[in-house]
Amino acid sequence: MPPVAERSLGVKADFPIFSRRFDGRELIYLDSAATSQKPEVVIEALAEHLRGHNANVHRGVYALAREADAAYDEARRRVASFTNATGGETIFTKNVTEAINLVAYSWGRAHVGEGDAVLITQMEHHANIVPWQVLCRERGARLRYLEVDERGELSLEALDAELARGDVRLVAFTHVSNVLGTINPVAEITARVRAAGAVSLIDGAQAVPHMPVDVDAIGADFYAWTGHKALGPTGVGVLHGRREMLERMEPFLTGGDMIASVDFYSATWNALPAKFEAGTPMIAEAVGLGAAVDYLSSLGMERVRAHERELTAYMLERHDVAELVDRGGVCIRAGHHCAQPLMRCLGVGATARASVGVYSEASDIDALVDALLAGREVFGL
């Protein structure tokens, strides 16, 4: 039975930033697709770790170091569990951008060559475009695009046609578009990619914070997401990869904990996931992300998804305008949303984007509409 949709989850009080006032007005935050606000439990997890357990990890045997080890390793377990992945195949990165670049560098430079093709879509964020542009330029490969149709969707038939050409080595695509909101049929896409003998990478930055995500069921070779959009701290992202592929890949960065042994002229690499986590990792940030996914789990991701669908429907109900500026203390995003190729396909220079989060309420949408109406009056529309 589907969860009951709610226009408010009643959790705004859990987020200290909403106590702020701007020119006497309360903060109305509708830019969660850019970055999410942080609940008190995440802020406290960061502070408590730094106050009481701060030490480097996997280096010392004293009590404080053992506490830091335990906190970091437990954070990885919780983050992996949140998306039904395994800890050994869950790598902490700085963000989703670094995760994608890791794959482009460590897998791409070993497997993509002259005459090969990398296939991406017109709806990708720049973070899932530019690494493949660089790889293809360096390796003499071709970068091709799946087009977005008039409904803002991808064609599986067009995908099959591209795969049938026989030269595609990797298909990289977003789970949820940060501009269109399109939810792609990721499990179906990855199955077709695998059947064609190619590798799949999914940018899950806009999916993991907003809906249940089962990495194992989706079946991608690589699935990347970022902590700061999922109520967690900045500076920590996640790459889930297939163990057999990660085992064969060379490291992206070298030094520190990713090393098993070193002599004067050679070195051997540590086991997964440490192999891809060079230097001192983002320890406190990982602990904070562990607290963030626990918070989301406590809400229930099916409930989160239903809530955000309800609010989005209410927003569409309240205004049929995709226009501009607001001075009512409402935070929305205006610009190309790091998706300039898609903007060209849509025939626009920029758009205004209002995006909701778990803390959003119907009153936030009302404030947005009021601000839009006031803006129209200012411009005499």
Side-chain angles (χ1 to χ4, degrees):
M1 185 171 158
V4 176
E6 302 168 72
R7 287 187 181 169
S8 172
L9 294 178
V11 300
K12 190 171 273 190
D14 294 346
F15 294 77
I17 200 164
F18 290 111
S19 64
R20 289 207 59 192
R21 294 292 180 270
F22 292 84
D23 295 326
R25 292 186 295 265
E26 67 179 66
L27 171 64
I28 307 297
Y29 188 79
L30 292 171
D31 197 20
S32 295
T35 198
S36 61
Q37 297 303 337
K38 319 306 174 193
E40 179 63 32
V41 291
V42 170
I43 298 167
E44 182 55 31
L46 281 164
E48 196 274 336
H49 179 80
L50 293 172
R51 273 197 303 259
H53 310 285
N54 185 48
N56 217 321
V57 292
H58 307 148
R59 287 162 172 79
V61 296
Y62 50 89
L64 193 63
R66 292 197 303 272
E67 290 176 5
D69 288 351
Y72 186 65
D73 295 341
E74 175 61 14
R76 190 192 310 277
R77 186 198 66 75
R78 285 148 65 189
V79 167
S81 176
F82 183 65
T83 53
N84 195 29
T86 62
E89 298 170 343
T90 296
I91 297 157
F92 284 130
T93 61
K94 288 200 305 292
N95 42 50
V96 70
T97 301
E98 182 178 87
I100 294 170
N101 274 272
L102 188 161
V103 176
Y105 182 92
S106 296
W107 183 88
R109 282 161 179 76
H111 294 90
V112 176
E114 191 169 350
D116 292 337
V118 171
L119 182 65
I120 62 176
T121 85
Q122 290 178 336
M123 65 173 68
E124 299 310 309
H125 188 281
H126 293 166
N128 204 23
I129 297 176
V130 177
W132 310 117
Q133 290 177 341
V134 172
L135 174 67
C136 289
R137 184 171 67 245
E138 289 181 0
R139 306 298 296 168
R142 290 185 296 279
L143 182 64
R144 296 205 296 267
Y145 286 82
L146 274 181
E147 293 184 359
V148 175
D149 68 18
E150 65 279 358
R151 291 171 50 85
E153 297 175 352
L154 303 174
S155 163
L156 293 177
E157 291 73 24
L159 170 65
D160 289 341
E162 286 287 350
L163 293 171
R165 296 172 67 169
D167 60 352
V168 175
R169 295 291 167 263
L170 177 133
V171 182
F173 54 98
T174 187
H175 192 155
V176 178
S177 168
N178 73 312
V179 174
L180 303 170
T182 304
I183 302 173
N184 286 316
V186 289
E188 179 66 23
I189 293 173
T190 56
R192 293 177 186 225
V193 170
R194 177 162 290 109
V199 167
S200 57
L201 177 144
I202 299 176
D203 173 359
Q206 298 293 347
V208 172
H210 304 292
M211 63 181 66
V213 171
D214 186 328
V215 167
D216 184 63
I218 290 169
D221 295 295
F222 302 101
Y223 191 103
W225 55 285
T226 197
H228 75 94
K229 296 182 192 292
L231 311 188
T234 55
V236 60
V238 181
L239 175 67
H240 304 295
R242 285 189 182 276
R243 177 175 290 275
E244 60 268 27
M245 301 191 71
L246 294 171
E247 294 279 12
R248 293 196 298 266
M249 287 161 54
E250 285 294 301
F252 177 40
L253 301 171
T254 56
D257 204 32
M258 56 75 59
I259 293 167
S261 65
V262 180
D263 64 25
F264 285 109
Y265 298 104
S266 64
T268 58
W269 312 138
N270 209 337
L272 295 173
K275 175 182 174 183
F276 291 102
E277 294 180 6
T280 297
M282 53 294 289
I283 304 165
E285 290 82 357
V287 170
L289 182 55
V293 298
D294 283 353
Y295 182 86
L296 285 169
S297 295
S298 73
L299 295 177
M301 292 308 295
E302 290 283 2
R303 187 174 169 224
V304 167
R305 173 70 180 135
H307 158 69
E308 295 187 1
R309 283 174 63 95
E310 172 72 10
L311 271 191
T312 301
Y314 181 63
M315 190 176 347
L316 293 172
E317 224 174 77
R318 287 278 349 245
H319 73 96
D320 56 2
V321 127
E323 272 151 53
L324 275 14
V325 192
D326 53 285
R327 283 186 176 158
V330 182
C331 301
I332 64 171
R333 174 82 176 268
H336 54 65
H337 314 299
C338 297
Q340 288 174 302
L342 178 57
M343 292 294 161
R344 293 189 184 98
C345 293
L346 297 174
V348 296
T351 63
R353 180 185 69 191
S355 50
V356 299
V358 298
Y359 33 72
S360 302
E361 300 174 347
S363 59
D364 299 332
I365 309 305
D366 294 339
L368 169 64
V369 174
D370 290 345
L372 286 168
L373 292 172
R376 292 182 66 176
E377 287 180 14
V378 168
F379 291 108
L381 298 175

